[in-house]
Amino acid sequence: MNEHSARIPGQRPPSAPEAGHGEPPAPDPLFTRTDPALGEFTLRPVDPAADAALLHGWVTHPKAVFWLMQDCDLAAVAKESARIAADPFHDAFLGLHNGTPAFLMERYDPAHRELVGIHTAEPGDVGMHFLTAPTTTPVHGFTRAVLTTVMEMLFADPATRRVVVEPDTRNTAVHALNEAVGFEVLRTVSLPAKDARLSTCTRDQFLATRGDHR
């Protein structure tokens, strides 16, 4: 690609029409990855109405403090999901682990969202956020497997050349994870709600970290 398209690389397809009456079918998965140790990971588009209660529980949990939605009620979470769904430069995806909802991933075009005026986006740049669901039974290596799945989904689109992230400078756990999958810190930047570590990861940088984590 020589320029940014109206929709970001690998954009979700239009929803399929309902077949008959009753509940609409669940969105089809857009990406599937099998982890040799942990099983199947899939991603599908967020349904703003159907997924609102689930996501509200996740983003208001203390673990999700860096998502800055601790005080949001259910209506606010549903409204934000609907806003993202209607945005031509932003998408949200629900991640499932062996069929059970387990993480949230957002993808955005940094030429138009989040980093406008801060990061000079290049063709093929794709922004990303991710959040794992709160749990009382953490599994070793699970969050890295989620991030690996997210990165594989983004790089499955040949138009994606580089992933861009802007985690809060205080989020030391995600900094370590980002480094583990190949992100390079460019600099600290000031965003409206946080100071962030602007970081990027090229396809080659990501592949160089894979090793036994394929």
Side-chain angles (χ1 to χ4, degrees):
M1 291 173 62
N2 294 322
E3 59 184 19
H4 288 275
S5 60
R7 298 192 68 86
I8 56 183
Q11 181 65 350
R12 62 180 180 271
S15 298
E18 282 191 39
H21 300 287
E23 292 296 322
D28 291 332
L30 294 181
F31 181 81
T32 299
R33 168 182 174 263
T34 299
D35 184 281
L38 297 174
E40 185 178 78
F41 291 85
T42 60
L43 288 126
R44 64 155 173 85
V46 163
D47 182 319
D51 296 329
L54 175 71
L55 296 181
H56 176 260
W58 293 2
V59 300
T60 59
H61 190 276
K63 175 181 180 291
V65 62
F66 295 112
W67 277 63
L68 306 174
M69 299 183 74
Q70 297 287 289
D71 298 325
C72 289
D73 60 15
L74 179 60
V77 172
K79 182 178 180 181
E80 175 65 6
S81 294
R83 182 195 66 77
I84 291 172
D87 190 329
F89 304 108
H90 200 165
D91 291 287
F93 303 91
L94 186 71
L96 295 90
H97 174 234
N98 294 329
T100 300
F103 60 101
L104 173 66
M105 174 258 201
E106 292 183 4
R107 177 182 64 179
Y108 67 89
D109 185 339
H112 297 275
R113 298 289 179 266
E114 300 282 346
L115 295 170
V116 177
I118 295 171
H119 166 70
T120 302
E122 299 177 359
D125 277 2
V126 177
M128 178 272 289
H129 305 133
F130 84 101
L131 173 70
T132 55
T135 180
T136 57
T137 55
V139 175
H140 178 71
F142 182 79
T143 306
R144 177 162 178 177
V146 166
L147 181 54
T148 297
T149 300
V150 166
M151 297 293 284
E152 284 199 4
M153 176 186 173
L154 295 174
F155 283 123
D157 182 351
T160 300
R161 297 181 180 178
R162 187 170 66 164
V163 180
V164 183
V165 295
E166 18 67 40
D168 194 299
T169 55
R170 299 167 294 174
N171 194 348
T172 55
V174 85
H175 299 325
L177 281 166
N178 286 346
E179 181 180 359
V181 299
F183 278 95
E184 175 185 6
V185 178
L186 301 185
R187 64 185 186 279
T188 299
V189 297
S190 293
L191 300 177
K194 64 184 179 182
D195 288 332
R197 283 191 180 182
L198 178 63
S199 307
T200 60
C201 180
T202 65
R203 187 184 303 272
D204 286 345
Q205 286 174 315
F206 173 59
L207 291 175
T209 68
R210 295 309 311 278
D212 293 334
H213 295 277
R214 284 186 184 278

